[in-house]
Amino acid sequence: MNNHPILEEHPWLIVTFGIAVVVMLLIDLGLFNKKSHEVTNKEAVSWSIVWISLSMIFSGLVYYYAGATKFYEFQSAYWIEKALSVDNLFVFILVFKFFDVPNSSKHKVLFWGIIGALVLRAIFIFSGAFLIELTYLNKIISYFGVAPFKYNINIIMTLFGLFLVYAGIKSWSSSGADDDEDYNNTRGARLIRKFFNVSDKYDGDKFFTYENGKKFATPLLVVVTVIEFTDLLFAVDSIPAIFAISNDPFILYTSNIFAILGLRALFFLLDNFIHLFSKLSYGLAVILSFIGLKMIIAPFYHIESVVSLMVITGVLLLSVVLSLLYPAKKD
C-alpha cells in the first residue's frame, strides 16, 4: 500500500475536486432542478452517466499524477461505496413508500441527504485515519520500551475486519430490509417529533408549514431526518470497508463522495427496477466478508489493490447478471 498521501505532492487536486463537486451540485440543483418535479428514467440515466463519467475522469487525473496504485485504490473504494450505497437506496425506497412521499419531492430529500453525507463522511474518514495511525500495536508497545513484534498489527483495523466479516455473514443470511418496519418509531422520526409539532399533510416541498396560525414541521422534514440517520447507520459498514483499500484520506474521501453524488439519479432507476437487483445483497455480503478478511490478514499478507478491484468488480457483475437471469417477481 502506498503510504505517501496525494495531498503532500499534489495539493491542487483537492481544489479541483472541491470545484467540480460544488459546480455540479449548483448545476444539478439550480439549473435542472430549480423546481420540484418527478424525475423521469431518461433524466436519471443522463445524470447517472454524468456523475460516473466525472468520477472516471477524476480517477484518470489520479492515475496521471499519482500512479497506478492510487488509481486502483480510488477505483476499489469508489465501487465498494457505490455498491453498499445501492443497498442503502433499497431502504430509502421503503422509507419513501412508508411516508407516501410525493414523487416531485423525492429529489429534494435525496439532495439534503447527500449534503449530510458529505459532512458525515468527512468526519468519519479523517477521524478514522487519525485513530488508525495511533493504534498500530508496535507503536503502542514502543512507549513501554518493549521490542516490536514481527508483524505490525493494527488494533482498529483488526476490529473493523472482524466486524465486516460478521456483517457479511449476517447480510447473506438476512432477507434485507423489512417492508413492514414502522419508520415512525426510528430515532430520526422521534427526534423531529420531540422538538416540533408535525403536520399530517405535505405542503409541496416545504419542511415547515402553518396551520391555523401555528407553525408545524411537515412529514418531509421527518423523512429527511430518517434518511440522514439511515445513512449514518450504513456508514458503519462502508467506512471501515474502504479503510482496507487505502490509508490515504484524500483517496478515501474523494472516491466516497463521487460514489454518493451519483446516487440521487440512481435512486430513481432503482425505484422502478428494484426487482432486477434481487441478488445484489448476496454480492455485497461476499464483498464485505472479503474486505474484512483482507483487513485481518493485512499484517501477514498484503493483497494488492488491483486484485481487490478485480474481486470487487467481478462479484458485483456476477450478482447483477444473476439478478437479471433470475429476477424476483415485480411488486
Side-chain angles (χ1 to χ4, degrees):
M1 187 178 292
N2 191 341
N3 293 319
H4 299 287
I6 290 179
L7 292 183
E8 292 181 2
E9 300 176 0
H10 306 288
W12 59 269
L13 274 175
I14 191 65
V15 178
T16 304
F17 165 74
I19 292 174
V21 170
V22 171
V23 169
M24 291 303 296
L25 284 176
L26 289 175
I27 291 175
D28 183 11
L29 184 66
L31 183 59
F32 293 100
N33 296 291
K34 194 171 185 179
K35 295 182 179 180
S36 295
H37 65 285
E38 183 175 349
V39 177
T40 64
N41 285 339
K42 181 180 179 180
E43 184 179 350
V45 169
S46 299
W47 273 105
S48 294
I49 293 173
V50 168
W51 281 117
I52 292 176
S53 299
L54 189 62
S55 305
M56 296 302 101
I57 291 171
F58 188 83
S59 70
L61 292 176
V62 171
Y63 178 84
Y64 182 80
Y65 288 102
T69 298
K70 293 293 184 182
F71 170 79
Y72 294 136
E73 290 177 0
F74 180 96
Q75 288 286 339
S76 298
Y78 174 83
W79 291 111
I80 286 175
E81 180 60 34
K82 178 72 79 176
L84 293 175
S85 295
V86 167
D87 198 32
N88 199 0
L89 290 181
F90 293 158
V91 179
F92 289 2
I93 290 173
L94 294 180
V95 171
F96 286 144
K97 179 181 178 182
F98 179 87
F99 287 102
D100 196 20
V101 179
N103 288 333
S104 60
S105 299
K106 290 178 180 178
H107 179 276
K108 184 173 182 178
V109 173
L110 293 169
F111 178 84
W112 286 108
I114 286 173
I115 295 298
L118 293 176
V119 177
L120 289 174
R121 299 306 165 87
I123 295 172
F124 286 161
I125 289 173
F126 287 96
S127 60
F130 176 75
L131 287 174
I132 288 171
E133 188 62 30
L134 294 178
T135 53
Y136 281 99
L137 192 56
N138 282 345
K139 179 178 289 189
I140 295 174
I141 65 175
S142 67
Y143 288 111
F144 301 96
V146 179
F149 296 118
K150 179 180 179 181
Y151 301 108
N152 194 12
I153 299 172
N154 186 281
I155 299 173
I156 295 292
M157 293 287 281
T158 301
L159 292 175
F160 278 170
L162 292 171
F163 170 75
L164 290 176
V165 171
Y166 166 77
I169 295 173
K170 184 179 179 182
S171 178
W172 181 278
S173 60
S174 68
S175 59
D178 185 0
D179 289 8
D180 298 323
E181 182 171 349
D182 184 1
Y183 290 100
N184 264 321
N185 288 326
T186 58
R187 292 181 180 179
R190 294 201 304 267
L191 179 66
I192 293 299
R193 296 183 188 280
K194 181 178 180 180
F195 291 100
F196 302 102
N197 293 319
V198 179
S199 172
D200 294 329
K201 300 177 181 179
Y202 288 95
D203 186 6
D205 63 353
K206 296 179 181 178
F207 292 137
F208 293 94
T209 188
Y210 285 90
E211 296 180 2
N212 299 321
K214 294 183 179 180
K215 188 175 184 179
F216 287 81
T218 68
L220 202 64
L221 183 63
V222 178
V223 175
V224 169
T225 310
V226 171
I227 292 296
E228 294 288 6
F229 271 78
T230 301
D231 182 70
L232 180 63
L233 293 175
F234 270 83
V236 174
D237 282 347
S238 64
I239 298 302
I242 61 176
F243 274 113
I245 302 301
S246 175
N247 62 352
D248 190 332
F250 174 79
I251 289 291
L252 299 181
Y253 186 64
T254 53
S255 59
N256 210 267
I257 297 309
F258 271 122
I260 291 172
L261 288 173
L263 292 180
R264 190 166 64 259
L266 188 58
F267 167 85
F268 294 100
L269 292 178
L270 287 177
D271 199 10
N272 292 330
F273 302 104
I274 188 172
H275 60 290
L276 297 180
F277 295 89
S278 58
K279 306 299 184 295
L280 184 61
S281 60
Y282 297 106
L284 296 179
V286 172
I287 290 174
L288 285 176
S289 298
F290 167 73
I291 294 299
L293 288 172
K294 179 179 178 178
M295 283 180 157
I296 295 170
I297 69 173
F300 317 103
Y301 181 78
H302 174 60
I303 299 177
E304 296 293 338
S305 298
V306 63
V307 176
S308 298
L309 179 58
M310 292 171 63
V311 171
I312 293 164
T313 54
V315 171
L316 284 177
L317 288 174
L318 179 61
S319 62
V320 171
V321 169
L322 289 176
S323 297
L324 295 175
L325 291 176
Y326 306 100
K329 293 182 179 180
K330 185 174 182 179
D331 185 2

